[in-house]
Amino acid sequence: MAAEWFGGGGIWIDFVEYAERLFAGGRGGLWTDPVQFLSVYSQGQRLLQSDVLSVPISSFFMGWLDSHPEIAAPWQGKSTTFVCKKLLGLEEPRRVVGEVLSGLESLFPGHPTALVTDSPRRWLSEARKRTGAGGAVDPEEDEIDAAAMYVADCLRAFSGYRIFALVLDEDETDSEKVGGLWSLYQPVWNVADHYQWLKGVRWHGEAVALPVGREVDFALFPSVSWDGMAALWERGLAAAGGLNRDFWKEPGPLPEATDRGPGYGVVPADAHPEHVLNRLHALRGAK
């Protein structure tokens, strides 16, 4: 499945913040109310027509924590792994995500859906920032290993839904060491393998030849231009990108569909609606 999708010219768009600006009408509760999220997301999807739906799990958990700060009060000063375990064990965000997945299956039957979540390393960093937990800024290997087990346990809650892929959000790090880092995520990869989900990483960094084909099946590069992606595609890397922030701004040359792999990117929240539609129309019209 990875070779099939990433060998074509599909377009995968993340657009939640952009759709929130257009369709939420200033209402809050996007991450705590599944009805609100489905309303905003479905309008965005019908407008932009992404080939893959993305459900950002981490945002639901962090949004719930923002809306219920009393939950985190007892966690102050605790270890990062303790906070991570408590955060990922929250039942209400899991329920909201489950209702969102169920709703998307009804609204867009048969459409590929990806779960997007922070990597174990990123969960630890976020937990530390959000709650003032103690521990090193750069997590130790034993902390990452523990967080991977908590992430894996959380993901099992979504085994009953039709999931196309699991994507881990990963901050840029030394590409020479990333293989060893990703090996610490083995509990997460095991869950994906068990449920037959494709395994991907969204890399917040420059175009580098990541070890795709080992622990992971594909990589997403939201910050990389078409030119940067071309070098990766020439190497045969299962990857998507090209729709970086600059793509949504000024008109510019676009690769023909036969000369590119799949497009991927995040529509900036402040993007001009007319520019967004014009750019997508031009991209889809490139032959």
Side-chain angles (χ1 to χ4, degrees):
M1 187 68 173
E4 177 183 339
W5 200 88
F6 287 90
I11 301 175
W12 182 344
I13 309 166
D14 276 327
F15 54 78
V16 175
E17 292 184 358
Y18 175 71
E20 182 181 18
R21 189 192 115 214
L22 293 187
F23 304 120
R27 301 186 303 274
L30 187 72
W31 304 112
T32 56
D33 181 355
V35 174
Q36 167 79 342
F37 180 88
L38 287 167
S39 173
V40 169
Y41 192 92
S42 61
Q43 290 179 83
Q45 170 60 14
R46 292 187 178 107
L47 180 68
L48 303 177
Q49 298 291 304
S50 174
D51 291 332
V52 179
L53 309 177
S54 298
V55 178
I57 294 176
S58 306
S59 296
F60 289 97
F61 280 81
M62 296 304 178
W64 189 268
L65 200 59
D66 287 341
S67 299
H68 301 82
E70 71 281 359
I71 293 175
W75 304 348
Q76 300 302 308
K78 301 292 186 179
S79 71
T80 312
T81 51
F82 174 89
V83 173
C84 192
K85 180 179 181 180
K86 290 294 186 180
L87 177 57
L88 283 160
L90 292 174
E91 290 296 331
E92 279 303 305
R94 293 190 191 191
R95 178 190 62 78
V96 173
V97 172
E99 291 188 22
V100 165
L101 290 171
S102 180
L104 290 177
E105 288 181 359
S106 297
L107 290 167
F108 305 101
H111 211 97
T113 299
L115 297 178
V116 182
T117 183
D118 285 343
S119 69
R121 182 171 70 112
R122 210 169 186 214
W123 271 108
L124 288 165
S125 297
E126 285 295 327
R128 184 177 187 277
K129 286 190 293 185
R130 295 274 182 155
T131 65
V137 175
D138 294 321
E140 299 291 337
E141 287 192 2
D142 61 335
E143 293 177 311
I144 296 173
D145 187 60
M149 291 189 289
Y150 305 145
V151 174
D153 182 67
C154 178
L155 292 172
R156 291 187 185 96
F158 312 118
S159 62
Y161 301 97
R162 293 191 297 272
I163 305 300
F164 162 71
L166 170 68
V167 179
L168 297 189
D169 245 342
E170 185 69 283
D171 290 326
E172 186 173 22
T173 187
D174 186 344
S175 60
E176 296 295 323
K177 299 178 180 178
V178 75
L181 174 64
W182 290 352
S183 68
L184 298 174
Y185 301 168
Q186 196 58 51
V188 178
W189 305 137
N190 289 345
V191 168
D193 286 338
H194 181 73
Y195 298 122
Q196 298 183 324
W197 302 339
L198 291 181
K199 299 169 293 185
V201 167
R202 180 162 63 177
W203 182 256
H204 293 275
E206 297 303 313
V208 292
L210 298 172
V212 171
R214 301 177 201 171
E215 281 87 1
V216 304
D217 300 308
F218 65 90
L220 304 176
F221 291 88
S223 303
V224 177
S225 67
W226 290 117
D227 288 342
M229 292 304 303
L232 299 179
W233 290 326
E234 286 175 3
R235 295 176 137 190
L237 195 74
L243 311 185
N244 61 358
R245 189 171 183 86
D246 289 341
F247 168 84
W248 306 102
K249 291 181 181 178
E250 301 293 335
L254 296 172
E256 295 183 0
T258 55
D259 295 334
R260 68 171 177 85
Y264 172 78
V266 180
V267 183
D270 60 354
H272 190 288
E274 184 177 357
H275 291 171
V276 170
L277 293 181
N278 286 344
R279 293 301 278 159
L280 287 175
H281 178 74
L283 179 61
R284 290 180 169 126
K287 302 296 184 182

